[in-house]
């Protein structure tokens, strides 16, 4: 249901059934005030929910748990990650989720909720929260895969030297990894805290599920670390390719110049206008000079060959 | 009130009301001696307050708590950070703040104090100290943002290669980050100690507030770390740009030189003054030589093209 | 025996004897369902077994232990490592192993099982699991040796400069090391957990054996770390070799060019057609110029010699 | 007093008064043997005192405490640090200090001792040891400041490119930092151990003083770390400056060469001696060629200008 | 005594006296089997002794302690380290040492044993083991000194640029350091474990001695770390020297080329054969051209001087 006033939820409150309230209008201060009073939430908690600069974290209170996480999504490729803060407050029989935009990430959960026999309906609020967190962490996985694909693509192009890659492209991937890590590190931490918490709100039965997403975050972090190392190597290869290319350019110049500069000198010598230059009158002087030209060039070519310059 | 003699505060001492004393004249040793005796402060504590080389720290005594922090401010841009030491000593019903210059950072708190219904009046000395620390940590945030902006600006200029950046500019940012970290690391530590302390002076109700600024310092440190990595990457890009530019310069030289050096040699050959050079008498000798010139140049250009040199 | 239906194992279940069930058909969901029920395994455990993206891990339950490890093997050289997930579930008198392909890695164990007096028959399921893990860790050792050999070979070639090595070859070794580490780190961790666990399924007598393979993983990780450092050094040497080569090329060019460019200039001067050039008429002008040519060349050669350019 | 025989100190031993014995003759084994027996010191302790390769350390025994520290001093500038080992052994009413050379570092303490109302006379042996350690740590501070000054000076010279700096000068600073750290790290550790020790020889009243020098060592280590990072950056700037200079040199060569090489070719062409070269007879041929020369040079200059080469 | 059969030691077994058995024939399986039975040693312990790939380690059993360490020695200089595994098993009154080759490292201990009043005879087996470990750790110290000397020598040569050093020489030192660390790290660990163990076999009186060699290993590791940093710096200096040399070469080329290329062009111009070139007929044309040549060269030389190119 889509509700507009907080009074509409009053009847559900004291029931046995649990309910989920997704609040997307974070600027409606009156509504938040009512929620605060209705569920007896600390004012600092409300501030945490409203401040979208918050680090992912969990705070365990006596009668409710606050979880602040970050959804990551991208519209124009992995280089351009955007962040959306999602906060969960859940007690024994209610889950409140707070987000600025009503995203499609919870659609799969809504779908599962409609199935009356689904696990998500039968289990408690902690399982529900697990399902929400699972959806978010799965998104991280997708982003990790995108970054990995991009880096592997860059690697292939750089190693094969097919196309010119700008260093800033590699750099953008490093930035994406940094952003991902910045979000996933504290998420891992908060999952670890939930795992070890002994709040009555987290049932023993749910712990294996929480542990599962915790291990996923560990896995993602390890992979990000590996990708970061790959990038360092990529930059190295990139730089070496530049050096190798420059070396090749230098060699070409040196070979041409060192062969022709002495020859040009010799041609210049016999182009001098001294009145007395005996060689000029020799019958085969010209052919002799050509002989010297060719011999010099051949000898130099051999020298370069032996030095493995080409 | 602005008081001049320590005797003026005596009547407030044994009252229920708490009071705030802001001491800016740190060279008035008599005053400090009187304060020391009045509030029963350890002589080492007074030394800590006077020594402005002190690291940020907290010391928890039986009847009072000493907090030494550093205010950071800048007059001429983020490259030129200055440090000002502020010390707090607070007991059950008094707060003493010590600073060398009476800065405007506490003005917002004075303003809040004038409002008789403000939280800051109603809560205890610990909340007051929280408010002071919060004002200081907020300043750190502002500085972090300035550094981040500057680095992003540098990044944009370097990646786009629009303008020449001196490496020392990047280096100055790294220095600012280092200075910020040097101040914020121990601040984070001291907040962590306050959080965990079980002094009766820190009430349970204030802990969420302390935790909030603690988390802010964690956030700032993480961001500084990210900025530091960005700088490392910037230097890398900077160096690669130099290498790429040099490569381009080399290529230009090589292309021009390798095309024209052999041609100049050939021109030199036919500039020789041998008496017997049959080609010189050929009718189309000159045109033939031009043909050789053009053919050589075209072949070389093709060769460089195929090697993707331009 | 090769069994097709789960009912075939029922008679063994309540016996004193232990048995080993190797399940290779991970897509037969019915079979897995039956196993799950028969051995009372958590559904999350089955999911862990099926998900081949799982990190190596151990989970200790009341009546059974789950171990997920990764076998590493290579078909086309060390650069192309493949991973195969193997999961063990073992209780007091049964061991279930799950793998996608029936590999020959367990063949040695089958052979030992056929010997009726072998330790592996006499000891409990924990010893059996040790034998399986030992076979896998030995495989890691073999791979480590292959990587080490390859790196040493590369090192020799690079240091001796015999043959050209592509930087990507060094890079591939770094990747293999990364992959090995990614698998062995969590394996080490899981062995450490088994060592410290106080599950009744791990008998005190087996602990020295577990400790032995644990120490092997520590050894492998240390060696991998050393190899990683070797690679960093190799890249450094590689880059320096390029620089040294470029230096040598530059020197050759500079020597030839700086000797002949001034000489060519001088030859050009006496090739000018001014009507009044007294030197041209000198009787020994031409020989004098040659004298200057040779003297200049010799002086320059001496200069370069003194500067240790060749 | 300057004493020569151990028997001279016997009368002081069983008194209430504490006394300080500064032993500088570490080769007088008999004296050491007597001291060993008189104060009941472990033979390993004496060995620690004699071995001047010892790491700074503290050893807490039942009836005395051994502290081994290193004094650092320099005669010819910060690049040339020398180390002197000083050991303290102190019990309830005696302090023994052992050093090879009688240094002036303890002079200030002697001066304070002569003042009969000084704290150092009134407090116990632990305060005395604090005063000695404080004198040593202050020396470290002085050295830190020297290194910092030197690095800042180097930085200024390198950034401004005023003068040529040899890389080995930077390298020497790094070495000094390394040496300082090697001494200060274990000193920090030993102070931390003293702080936490519950020996009756360290009175509660002295702890804030010990803590103060402990915090100084922390401060020094942090600053050394910062200086080390500065050096890394300095080396980077140094290398970039070399690259930039080389780039500038290359550009100059390329601009001159690419402008004049084609022109020289053209001049060479019209210096050829073909009998039939129609242009040579043109009336304005010569002026036309000059036109081509100038046009080519101007066009190339524009091209280089647009590419921002100068 | 040199014994050949295990039965020869039986009479010593139940005596008060302790004895030392040095076993060098590790392939005599029967002997080992007898020893195993005689001293009641775990079969895994025997395997540890035989496997010479074992990491240094200590294992504390109820009635004996196993220590596996590595002796390092070198025959052809520090670049070529060899490893020899030595294992100690000791109980209340026996010490068994196992080594492949009977090395001279224990000779000093044998010598001390022959002195009937030596400490090593009077103290227990733990002191004996200390003496053995001390001999081995002293060897490490010697090797550390050799590496340090070699690195300092390399440093001197590289900084002074006296002789050409191959990068692989520096690299070999890094390798030696790595090998030393690989052996000493776990040795430090095992000494730390012995220090903290509460086995009745390690008497309280021996602890200071164990602590002494423990601190020596810490010292060695710190020094190795410092040497490793020195090597990193050396490589940096090495690379910079190459860059500086290349820069110098480039400058020479550029100075010569940029001075003479324009002059050669001008000489080429007046070598053209145009029928109408007025300058050629000028009386002082030739001298004028020489004037231009000299002026150009001087101006350029000034320009390069101002740019500090030479």
């Amino acid at each position: 249901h889509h509700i507009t006033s907080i009074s509409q939820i009053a009847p559900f409150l004291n029931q046995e059934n649990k309910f989920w309230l997704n609040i997307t209008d974070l600027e409606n201060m009156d509504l938040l005030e009512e929620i605060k009073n209705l569920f007896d939430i600390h004012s600092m908690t409300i501030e945490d929910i409203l401040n979208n600069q918050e680090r992912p974290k969990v705070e365990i209170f006596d009668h409710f748990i606050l979880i602040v996480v970050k959804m990551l999504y991208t519209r124009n490729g992995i280089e351009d990650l955007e962040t959306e803060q999602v906060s969960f407050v859940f007690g024994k029989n209610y889950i409140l989720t707070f987000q600025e935009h009503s995203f499609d990430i919870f659609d799969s959960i809504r779908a599962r909720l409609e199935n009356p026999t689904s696990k998500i309906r039968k289990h408690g609020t902690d399982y529900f929260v697990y399902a929400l967190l699972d959806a978010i962490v799965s998104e991280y996985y997708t982003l990790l895969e995108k970054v990995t694909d991009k880096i592997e693509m860059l690697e292939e192009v750089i190693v094969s030297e097919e196309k010119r890659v700008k260093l800033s492209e590699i750099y953008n991937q490093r930035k994406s990894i940094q952003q991902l890590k910045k979000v996933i590190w504290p998420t891992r931490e908060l999952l670890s805290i939930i795992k070890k918490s002994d709040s009555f709100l987290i049932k023993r039965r749910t712990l294996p599920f929480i542990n599962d997403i915790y291990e996923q975050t560990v896995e993602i972090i390890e992979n990000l670390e590996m990708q970061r190392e790959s990038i360092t190597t990529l930059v190295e290869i990139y730089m070496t390719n530049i050096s190798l290319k420059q070396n090749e350019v230098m060699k070409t110049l040196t070979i041409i110049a060192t062969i022709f500069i002495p020859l040009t000198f010799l041609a210049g010598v016999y182009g001098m206008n001294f009145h007395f230059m005996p060689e000029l009158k020799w019958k085969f002087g010209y052919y002799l000079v050509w002989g010297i030209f060719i011999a010099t060039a051949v000898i130099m070519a051999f020298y370069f060959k032996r030095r493995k310059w080409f």
Side-chain angles (χ1 to χ4, degrees), chain A residues 97-114:
Chain A
T97 55
F98 301 84
Q99 56 175 161
E100 269 178 88
H101 314 285
S102 45
F103 256 94
D104 50 349
I105 199 167
F106 293 150
D107 287 356
S108 68
I109 289 173
R110 273 195 203 88
R112 276 153 76 189
L113 278 176
E114 287 175 13

Side-chain angles (χ1 to χ4, degrees), chain A residues 237-280:
Chain A
I237 296 186
Y238 187 91
M239 306 286 272
T240 318
N241 279 349
I242 293 175
S243 279
L244 283 171
K245 208 140 219 168
Q246 192 156 332
N247 206 17
E248 187 200 13
V249 169
M250 284 305 305
K251 272 183 193 165
T252 310
L253 173 60
T254 304
I255 289 167
I256 295 288
T258 40
I259 289 178
F260 284 101
I261 283 177
L263 302 189
T264 306
F265 160 69
L266 205 65
V269 165
Y270 292 106
M272 293 194 298
N273 298 317
F274 282 98
H275 290 192
F276 182 71
M277 288 175 69
E279 297 98 322
L280 296 180

